[in-house]
């Protein structure tokens, strides 16, 4: 017994290989909150962080007492999602209201678009999820024009059977609109109806777990207690996708060990599903095809208008001037629609142009890229992405003032974009405007607190401002999550050197060289610290932000 670790590419190739042939396998997807993060829905861990802050602001003393009573600390707090939910929302309806508001504006990410395609066009047509949201069914409806069978309550679980001919979405914590389960008592045990349904699914389908941390006892207890469902004899194995910075829980480890499953580390839900969509031959529809339904509705509407006009004309056939005016109006409407279609078609051309511009960036042909991005901003002055990449290309050419202008324009159009704030911060840093750079990088962290690179960038700026203790803390946060990053160790070493803590600086720089033994800059900097320890003083500076997109 014991699990086997696969690379992401190895996993994708295996799925491709075993999905066809005379004896193809079937896969289902088991989704958790991590799958919906890129669609704008906060994960369970993010919600715990938010509620922790709110509870502390309401009554810090009472909150700390409550944490102590339950044994909650920073390392295990995410396992207490249900308790945080119950503590934050005393009235059930307030909790539902909070969740509905959070989810109502979310739109399916590219990962859900690819998953909708897979569910509709392959044998892999089942999703089991702990999520309440409607992202997947929206994607199936919007992009595949198919109605999925949504099992959003345990009373409907008997509809799960071995003859499944359409996409099926099984929501074991219920649908958002059907009294979803959030409380500890509700999540400690899986309803028997769900157990029966999962028995049926797992007798036919190999499960692919993605975006699911395994923190709830309802599903995880079922899995660990029924590992015999998965075996080499039965030919059913679980595939557990683990996000690159996440740690595997003890329950998940136990399950994979007992079930002889596979562990695959990945860079995000969207990337994994994009790769799977590719092997199953997903094709982006043309805009004409995409709006074909709208065209049909327009034709029907035009027909209704023509019929009404005809009746109106028959009643007033002597009024030729009014009839002529009506005909002119119809022609005008048709012309407007033609213009709209031309406008939509032009967007396809712009997408092609954008793709070519990105290829120029990848090839370091920044002057040509600047020309392409400028043309794109002329064609569509409301697209924040075009301005942001124009600023990036100008930055790479050393035109920082011009880059700043374009990046600020991009932020005016999309103020919630963390990358844009970070890029502007990097540009301002290059210009020596450290206070402004600090503010922009802090905004980036507010928008995307999980981005380790932003902590490092903030540390570099704080170092230049002479705030060494604060810079040190930012590097340490970055290293907690990416302990093998050479530049983070080096930057921490440089700051420690400035603080006069030479022994610690030496240790960090040596670690950076262990990770990147051929880095001349690191070697020279280590010599500066060693010279200082020997009584010789030389200049020492951290790695600058030479790539604002990181």
């Amino acid at each position: 017994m014991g699990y086997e670790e696969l690379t992401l590419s190895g996993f994708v190739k295996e799925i491709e290989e075993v999905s066809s042939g005379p004896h193809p396998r079937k896969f289902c997807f088991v989704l958790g909150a991590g799958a919906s993060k890129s669609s704008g829905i906060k994960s369970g861990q993010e919600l715990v962080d938010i509620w922790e802050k709110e509870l502390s602001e309401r009554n810090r003393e009472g909150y700390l007492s409550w944490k102590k009573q339950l044994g909650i600390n920073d390392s295990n707090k995410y396992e207490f999602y249900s308790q945080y939910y119950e503590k934050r929302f005393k009235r059930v309806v307030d909790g539902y209201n909070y969740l509905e508001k959070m989810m109502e504006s979310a739109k399916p990410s590219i990962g859900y678009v690819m998953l909708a395609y897979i569910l509709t066009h392959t044998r892999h047509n089942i999703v089991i999820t702990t999520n309440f949201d409607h992202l997947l069914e929206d994607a199936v409806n919007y992009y595949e024009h198919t109605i999925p069978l949504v099992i959003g309550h345990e009373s409907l679980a008997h509809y799960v059977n071995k003859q499944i001919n359409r996409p099926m979405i099984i929501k074991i914590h219920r649908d958002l609109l059907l009294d979803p389960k959030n409380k500890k008592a509700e999540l400690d045990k899986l309803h028997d109806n769900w157990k029966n349904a999962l028995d049926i699914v797992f007798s036919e389908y190999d499960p692919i777990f993605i975006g699911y941390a395994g923190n709830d006892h309802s599903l995880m207890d079922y899995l660990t207690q029924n590992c015999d469902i998965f075996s080499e004899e039965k030919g059913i194995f679980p595939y557990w996708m683990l996000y690159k910075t996440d740690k595997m829980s003890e329950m998940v480890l136990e399950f994979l060990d007992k079930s002889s499953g596979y562990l695959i580390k990945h860079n995000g839900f969207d990337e994994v599903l994009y790769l799977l969509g590719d092997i199953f031959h997903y094709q982006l529809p043309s805009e004409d095809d995409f709006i074909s339904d709208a065209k049909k509705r327009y034709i029907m509407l035009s027909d209704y208008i023509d019929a009404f006009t005809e009746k109106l004309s028959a009643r007033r056939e002597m009024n030729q001037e009014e009839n002529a005016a009506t005909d002119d109006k119809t022609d005008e409407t048709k012309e407007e629609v033609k213009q709209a279609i031309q406008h939509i078609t032009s967007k396809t051309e712009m997408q092609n142009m954008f793709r070519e511009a990105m290829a120029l960036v990848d090839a370091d042909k920044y002057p040509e890229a600047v020309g392409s991005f400028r043309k794109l901003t002329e064609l569509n002055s409301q697209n924040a992405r075009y301005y942001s990449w124009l600023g990036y290309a100008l930055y790479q050419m050393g035109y920082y003032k011009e880059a700043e202008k374009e990046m600020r324009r991009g932020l005016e159009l999309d103020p919630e974009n963390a990358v844009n704030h970070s890029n502007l911060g990097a540009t301002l840093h290059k210009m020596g405007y450290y206070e402004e750079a600090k503010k922009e990088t802090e905004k980036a962290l507010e928008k995307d607190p999980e981005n380790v690179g932003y902590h490092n960038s903030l540390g570099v700026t704080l170092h230049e401002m002479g705030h060494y203790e604060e810079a040190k803390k930012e590097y340490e946060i970055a290293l907690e999550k990416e302990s093998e990053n050479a530049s983070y160790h080096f930057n921490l070493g440089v700051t420690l050197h400035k603080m006069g803590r030479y022994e610690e600086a030496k240790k960090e720089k040596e670690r950076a060289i262990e990770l990147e033994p051929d880095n001349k800059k690191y070697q020279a900097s280590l010599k500066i610290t060693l010279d200082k320890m020997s009584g010789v003083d030389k200049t020492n500076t951290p790695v600058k932000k030479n790539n604002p997109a990181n």
Side-chain angles (χ1 to χ4, degrees):
M1 300 291 281
Y3 68 87
E4 179 182 351
E5 187 165 344
L6 297 178
T7 63
L8 180 57
S9 60
F11 162 75
V12 172
K13 288 179 181 177
E14 178 166 323
I15 300 300
E16 181 180 20
E17 179 183 339
V18 303
S19 292
S20 60
H23 305 288
R25 289 161 62 187
K26 293 193 291 187
F27 294 89
C28 66
F29 298 84
V30 183
L31 308 185
S36 298
K37 186 175 179 180
S38 58
S39 296
I41 295 179
K42 297 188 182 301
S43 68
Q45 294 183 354
E46 289 178 307
L47 290 174
V48 167
D49 288 335
I50 292 171
W51 295 338
E52 180 177 48
K53 181 179 179 181
E54 293 174 349
L55 289 169
S56 181
E57 288 174 349
R58 288 183 172 195
N59 181 351
R60 180 170 177 76
E61 185 176 339
Y63 168 67
L64 293 176
S65 175
W66 173 78
K67 279 184 68 176
K68 184 177 180 181
Q69 182 180 358
L70 293 182
I72 300 174
N73 54 53
D74 289 341
S75 63
N76 69 4
K77 64 182 181 180
Y78 300 125
E79 299 173 16
F80 291 82
Y81 168 89
S82 299
Q83 290 88 335
Y84 271 94
Y85 176 83
E86 292 181 58
K87 181 72 173 173
R88 175 63 180 82
F89 302 107
K90 298 293 185 183
R91 297 176 70 246
V92 174
V93 68
D94 290 341
Y96 294 164
N97 185 54
Y98 182 96
L99 294 173
E100 285 193 39
K101 286 195 297 183
M102 179 182 69
M103 297 178 184
E104 63 185 2
S105 60
K107 303 297 181 188
S109 68
I110 186 63
Y112 276 110
V113 175
M114 295 296 173
L115 182 53
Y117 171 82
I118 293 170
L119 292 178
T120 309
H121 296 276
T122 75
R123 295 161 52 86
H124 318 312
N125 57 355
I126 295 181
V127 164
I128 300 161
T129 179
T130 58
N131 300 339
F132 318 134
D133 61 63
H134 299 150
L135 290 170
L136 183 52
E137 47 262 56
D138 285 348
V140 173
N141 279 316
Y142 292 165
Y143 300 104
E144 298 302 329
H145 309 294
T146 300
I147 301 175
L149 177 56
V150 180
I151 312 296
H153 194 281
E154 59 271 15
S155 64
L156 303 173
H158 62 278
Y159 286 102
V160 178
N161 56 64
K162 293 188 178 183
Q163 303 300 321
I164 298 170
N165 298 316
R166 66 170 55 246
M168 177 178 285
I169 304 169
I170 302 171
K171 298 187 175 186
I172 61 173
H173 290 170
R174 297 184 182 172
D175 184 86
L176 177 63
L177 305 179
L178 297 176
D179 190 13
K181 294 184 176 183
N182 270 295
K183 296 181 179 179
K184 182 179 183 301
E186 298 172 333
L187 298 180
D188 274 349
K189 181 175 172 55
L190 191 65
H191 195 282
D192 287 342
N193 289 3
W194 289 131
K195 292 179 182 179
N196 295 333
L198 295 184
D199 286 346
I200 293 171
V201 174
F202 293 147
S203 69
E204 299 275 332
Y205 293 77
D206 294 78
I208 298 172
F209 297 82
I210 184 164
Y212 176 59
N215 288 326
D216 70 298
H217 282 276
S218 58
L219 180 55
M220 282 310 303
D221 283 351
Y222 166 83
L223 291 171
T224 55
Q225 293 166 13
N226 292 276
C227 289
D228 58 338
I229 293 176
F230 310 100
S231 68
E232 187 172 348
E233 180 180 347
K234 296 180 179 179
I236 303 291
F237 299 98
Y239 294 76
W240 198 284
M241 313 293 295
L242 183 71
Y243 186 65
K244 59 181 180 180
T245 58
D246 288 348
K247 294 182 179 179
M248 188 161 50
S249 71
E250 290 298 322
M251 291 180 71
V252 174
L253 180 59
E254 177 188 355
F255 167 62
L256 285 180
D257 268 334
K258 289 183 177 179
S259 61
S260 299
Y262 296 95
L263 176 67
I264 306 99
K265 294 183 180 179
H266 66 97
N267 294 318
F269 172 75
D270 287 346
E271 178 178 310
V272 173
L273 269 298
Y274 202 100
L275 292 171
L276 293 178
D278 181 49
I279 65 172
F280 291 122
H281 313 298
Y282 175 84
Q283 290 186 340
L284 185 68
S286 68
E287 290 192 18
D288 284 340
D289 289 338
F290 199 75
I291 64 170
S292 63
D293 285 348
K295 283 185 175 181
K296 290 176 183 177
R297 288 194 294 271
Y298 169 73
I299 292 171
M300 290 175 62
L301 178 59
S302 297
D303 186 59
Y304 293 146
I305 292 172
D306 288 344
F308 177 78
T309 303
E310 184 178 66
K311 290 180 181 179
L312 187 64
S313 177
R315 270 191 261 160
R316 302 183 182 179
E317 60 181 353
M318 296 300 295
N319 192 342
Q320 299 295 336
E321 182 178 352
E322 187 169 337
N323 289 340
T326 302
D327 290 340
D328 290 342
K329 184 65 176 178
T330 302
D331 291 339
E332 179 183 338
T333 304
K334 288 180 180 178
E335 185 58 31
E336 289 177 357
V337 174
K338 288 180 182 178
Q339 291 176 3
I341 292 172
Q342 290 173 357
H343 177 65
I344 291 172
T345 303
S346 72
K347 289 183 179 179
T348 301
E349 294 172 0
M350 283 191 288
Q351 288 170 345
N352 289 333
M353 189 184 300
F354 180 70
R355 185 162 49 250
E356 291 170 358
M358 293 303 301
L360 291 171
V361 169
D362 291 339
D364 296 335
K365 296 180 179 180
Y366 298 114
E368 295 93 331
V370 166
S372 294
F373 287 125
R374 285 203 188 281
K375 188 171 182 180
L376 284 165
T377 60
E378 291 170 4
L379 291 169
N380 186 352
S381 62
Q382 299 303 307
N383 191 310
R385 182 177 286 105
Y386 297 162
Y387 289 100
S388 298
W389 279 105
L390 173 55
Y392 174 86
L394 289 165
Y395 174 97
Q396 295 294 348
M397 294 173 67
Y399 299 146
Y400 303 126
K401 191 65 181 177
E402 294 90 334
E404 178 197 2
K405 176 184 175 183
E406 302 302 337
M407 290 178 181
R408 289 193 184 281
R409 176 60 177 149
L411 278 170
E412 287 176 9
L413 295 168
D414 186 9
E416 299 300 311
N417 191 301
V419 174
N420 291 353
H421 282 291
S422 176
N423 288 355
L424 178 57
T427 303
L428 292 166
H429 181 102
K430 279 287 189 181
M431 297 168 71
Y433 300 148
Y434 299 125
E435 188 62 45
E436 292 181 62
K438 171 176 172 287
K439 290 178 181 178
E440 290 301 326
T441 309
E442 287 173 338
K443 287 179 183 178
L445 269 171
E446 288 176 12
K447 309 297 181 187
D448 186 4
E450 298 300 314
N451 191 304
V452 180
Y454 297 164
H455 285 287
N456 178 67
S457 297
L458 182 56
V460 173
T461 297
L462 289 166
H463 177 99
E464 293 296 334
M465 296 173 73
H467 299 165
Y468 302 125
E469 187 62 43
E470 294 177 53
K472 172 177 169 291
K473 290 179 181 177
E474 294 300 326
Y475 296 141
E476 288 172 342
I477 291 172
L479 282 167
E480 282 179 10
K481 297 183 177 180
E482 290 187 14
S483 60
E484 301 298 301
N485 189 301
S487 65
Y488 298 171
H489 282 287
F490 174 74
N491 287 347
L492 176 57
V494 171
T495 296
L496 287 166
H497 180 105
K498 279 289 187 180
M499 297 170 75
R501 295 162 65 168
Y502 304 121
E503 189 61 44
E504 295 172 72
K506 171 177 170 288
K507 179 181 177 182
E508 293 299 329
K509 293 181 181 182
E510 287 176 339
R511 179 59 180 147
I513 293 172
E514 285 178 16
L515 294 167
E516 292 185 15
D518 297 327
N519 192 306
K520 302 297 183 183
K521 183 179 181 69
Y522 295 173
Q523 295 169 6
S525 182
L526 175 60
K527 186 176 185 304
I528 292 172
T529 296
L530 293 173
D531 288 345
K532 184 67 178 180
M533 295 172 74
S534 302
V536 181
D537 192 7
K538 292 186 178 181
T539 304
N540 198 20
T541 57
V543 174
K544 293 294 192 298
K545 302 178 190 177
N546 51 16
N547 189 344
N550 290 337

